[in-house]
Amino acid sequence: CHSDDGTQKVGPTYKGLYGSKVELADGTTVEVDDNYLRESILMPTAKVVKGFGPVMPPFQGLLKEEEINALIAYIKSAK
């Protein structure tokens, strides 16, 4: 659903995502940091990126803390 090479898919690409500012569907902007990524993994419909639908399933209660941290580290590495 997401790419790490800039290719547009159902969800935003991870390439260059970390540290950037993204516009949300409600017109506000947010900086992509650890907190935003954590929230987006656990409750993805809380802040949906403009141009994308709220289609990602929530992972709250399904992932262990180390799995969440590993996903965040992976997204941070996609430059």
Side-chain angles (χ1 to χ4, degrees):
C1 294
H2 299 272
S3 76
D4 59 6
D5 64 2
T7 303
Q8 194 78 318
K9 294 193 173 190
V10 175
T13 184
Y14 296 147
K15 183 177 183 179
L17 183 64
Y18 191 82
S20 70
K21 291 189 188 268
V22 294
E23 184 177 358
L24 303 178
D26 67 4
T28 63
T29 59
V30 65
E31 182 175 344
V32 179
D33 59 11
D34 288 28
N35 292 327
Y36 171 77
L37 291 175
R38 177 178 302 281
E39 181 180 40
S40 294
I41 292 166
L42 299 177
M43 300 172 296
T45 59
K47 295 178 183 160
V48 178
V49 175
K50 184 176 183 177
F52 296 93
V55 296
M56 184 169 152
F59 286 91
Q60 190 164 15
L62 300 176
L63 298 175
K64 297 176 184 171
E65 187 64 24
E66 56 268 12
E67 293 171 316
I68 296 167
N69 291 335
L71 286 168
I72 292 170
Y74 174 73
I75 294 167
K76 287 167 98 169
S77 74
K79 298 182 180 198

